[in-house]
Amino acid sequence: SAASDVYKRQAQMSDYIYIKSHVDKKTAYVGEKITISYKLYSKLSLTGINLEKLPSLNGFYSTELKTVYDEIKLSQEQINGEMYQVAELQQNLLYPQRSGDLIIDPLQMKITARVQTKRSRSIWDQMMGGFEQKEVIAASKPITIKIKPLPTRGKPVDFSGAVGSFKMDYSASKTDLKSNDAIDFKVQITGNGNLPLLAAPKLTFPPDLSLIHISE
């Protein structure tokens, strides 16, 4: 039937074009950073790459480093002795919001490739060199990440959810003040962890100083 022929062609194309997702860890704590990247691999010459469906990434706070809307650059890579065209489609930083098994959804793309025909069936085929355009819907496989709850033993009373290694520095625009002088006080937090989820620290100033403006 026509439907079975379509499924057969899709299966054949998936042997030559596929999307694979890569994570830097499959076990993490709540709030711990996870990096996910989606890469396209193809043995065929590609003529079109279009978004079909984005991953919803439920259960994660996500920050995009690269998206499918950015310029997609193809490079050559040899895998198991065969040459592939490879492109990074999307890269995200994920911060799990709850414990349990969380699933990283597939990314789906519609790929158009230039495929050589088995035989030239017409003058037009011969003029085109015996090639035709074919489409395939490629999708990565879902990945299950085991998320562990944060330990309760030794947890500080004022713990705000910061997970990682951080450093906090303070600086002031001046140290000698006169009455009604203004001073700029800066707090900088650096490190490796869930920085996007951190709130500004609570600061306590002497009663003789009036706080005018706070920016984050």
Side-chain angles (χ1 to χ4, degrees):
S1 65
S4 62
D5 288 342
V6 170
Y7 289 130
K8 185 177 180 181
R9 287 197 300 270
Q10 290 280 325
Q12 291 173 341
M13 290 284 285
S14 65
D15 292 336
Y16 297 91
I17 300 172
Y18 60 90
I19 296 173
K20 190 173 182 180
S21 51
H22 304 262
V23 291
D24 62 345
K25 62 191 72 167
K26 291 191 176 182
T27 302
Y29 284 100
V30 171
E32 185 178 358
K33 182 179 69 175
I34 300 168
T35 303
I36 169 76
S37 62
Y38 297 88
K39 287 188 176 182
L40 168 67
Y41 298 84
S42 176
K43 296 181 186 178
L44 304 175
S45 177
L46 303 180
T47 58
I49 304 173
N50 296 286
L51 174 65
E52 188 72 13
K53 185 179 180 182
L54 282 171
S56 57
L57 301 174
N58 292 324
F60 296 95
Y61 175 87
S62 175
T63 299
E64 294 175 336
L65 299 180
K66 177 180 175 54
T67 77
V68 294
Y69 302 109
D70 299 332
E71 182 184 0
I72 296 176
K73 296 181 179 179
L74 293 170
S75 61
Q76 298 287 325
E77 187 174 331
Q78 193 173 48
I79 303 173
N80 297 326
E82 295 187 86
M83 193 61 68
Y84 284 79
Q85 291 190 80
V86 180
E88 185 172 51
L89 302 174
Q90 179 146 329
Q91 186 178 38
N92 295 65
L93 297 181
L94 305 179
Y95 302 93
Q97 301 296 287
R98 63 176 185 268
S99 59
D101 289 349
L102 297 184
I103 296 176
I104 296 179
D105 313 302
L107 172 68
Q108 274 189 14
M109 303 292 289
K110 181 184 289 185
I111 313 297
T112 307
R114 190 166 177 258
V115 182
Q116 189 168 16
T117 56
K118 291 183 179 180
R119 62 182 183 275
S120 297
R121 292 167 293 182
S122 66
I123 298 296
W124 174 255
D125 286 339
Q126 294 175 15
M127 291 174 62
M128 293 299 292
F131 288 93
E132 62 180 333
Q133 305 292 325
K134 285 194 175 183
E135 288 185 348
V136 61
I137 303 297
S140 59
K141 293 180 180 179
I143 299 178
T144 300
I145 307 292
K146 287 191 169 293
I147 306 301
K148 300 177 288 185
L150 292 171
T152 55
R153 185 177 180 179
K155 180 180 178 180
V157 177
D158 58 349
F159 177 69
S160 62
V163 179
S165 178
F166 306 101
K167 179 183 177 183
M168 185 180 295
D169 292 315
Y170 300 87
S171 63
S173 59
K174 62 179 72 173
T175 56
D176 294 324
L177 296 174
K178 295 179 182 180
S179 178
N180 294 322
D181 270 358
I183 180 175
D184 291 326
F185 189 76
K186 182 179 179 181
V187 180
Q188 184 177 36
I189 300 175
T190 57
N192 184 21
N194 57 349
L195 282 169
L197 304 183
L198 297 185
K202 293 181 179 180
L203 303 176
T204 302
F205 293 96
D208 293 335
L209 290 178
S210 297
L211 186 62
I212 297 176
H213 176 69
I214 295 179
S215 61
E216 297 183 14

